[in-house]
Amino acid sequence: MPPAPDEDSVRHSVLANALRAADLVNVLCRPDPRPSRLDEVTRVLRAYGESEPLGLADEDLPGLREAAGALRPVFAADDVDAAARELNVLLAERTGPLRLTTHGGASAWHPHVDGDDDAPWAEWFLASSCLALAVLLWERGRAPGGVCASAACADVFVPRGSGRERRRYCSRRCATRERVAAHRRARADGTAATDQMSITR
């Protein structure tokens, strides 16, 4: 986390909002049957500097899950054009006009595309995430996110680097796990091929 003097501007930065979107999508769209809990969502929001008291309640979770489900296709888009199409639909159908706010002087000026400063959590989450992902797409000229290619992981992520090559894994851990698995498969296939050759001789 950046130093305290920059905390407010960092909290409203495009990258921070995009990373928060990915982390919330991962918590709210988990593939296992156990639904996300309020404390998990709260932990993510606090990690990204949302002001206390949050005022988040269990009844907010279904709307947040629905918003996360609407955002996931943006991360899953195959290329920049597909990501832009997904974002354009969300921006046209689910967000309001662009406005600037300080939340009554409580923060630095920053953009919003939700209805107002007291919009419901799901509306705020979807709108702020769309805005951040759209700006990242614009700035980088590529899809703003991805879905981990590891068979053992379904997490979405926001690439940090500036390279043009599309990142395939959400973390080094997933990339390493897949390399090790591929190496083991190759060795097993080689052993099987060697065994087959000795049988046929």
Side-chain angles (χ1 to χ4, degrees):
M1 203 65 181
D6 293 326
E7 195 171 315
D8 191 55
S9 60
V10 168
R11 182 164 63 97
H12 295 298
S13 78
V14 171
L15 182 59
N17 279 292
L19 292 169
R20 183 193 63 213
D23 286 349
L24 284 171
V25 167
N26 290 335
V27 166
L28 291 159
C29 291
R30 198 171 22 238
D32 66 42
R34 184 176 60 88
S36 46
R37 298 189 320 261
L38 185 63
D39 64 317
E40 294 172 306
V41 177
T42 299
R43 192 176 316 117
V44 173
L45 292 170
R46 285 185 177 137
Y48 284 94
E50 285 306 311
S51 305
E52 299 286 354
L54 290 177
L56 189 67
D58 281 318
E59 50 266 27
D60 296 310
L61 292 179
L64 284 166
R65 284 189 197 104
E66 189 278 328
L71 287 165
R72 191 171 172 84
V74 177
F75 289 95
D78 289 333
D79 56 38
V80 66
D81 295 336
R85 283 192 296 275
E86 293 289 347
L87 279 167
N88 277 337
V89 170
L90 292 174
L91 288 164
E93 297 177 0
R94 306 282 299 270
T95 67
L98 181 68
R99 64 190 172 80
L100 292 166
T101 182
T102 63
H103 296 281
S107 71
W109 285 103
H110 61 280
H112 270 240
V113 288
D114 50 6
D116 60 58
D117 287 357
D118 296 316
W121 278 104
E123 181 185 340
W124 164 82
F125 167 47
L126 183 65
S128 62
S129 299
C130 284
L131 183 59
L133 294 169
V135 173
L136 269 192
L137 184 151
W138 171 27
E139 285 181 345
R140 296 176 171 183
R142 65 178 197 252
V147 178
C148 188
S150 171
C153 180
D155 281 357
V156 303
F157 62 90
V158 174
R160 296 287 198 107
S162 57
R164 282 295 199 184
E165 190 173 322
R166 182 140 191 196
R167 207 173 99 194
R168 297 186 62 224
Y169 300 103
C170 68
S171 65
R172 285 187 180 158
R173 186 183 66 213
C174 280
T176 300
R177 183 174 56 234
E178 289 301 308
R179 272 197 302 274
V180 169
H183 179 69
R184 286 182 180 151
R185 281 193 302 274
R187 283 184 65 192
D189 290 348
T191 304
T194 304
D195 291 347
Q196 187 63 35
M197 283 173 63
S198 24
I199 290 167
T200 55
R201 281 182 182 167

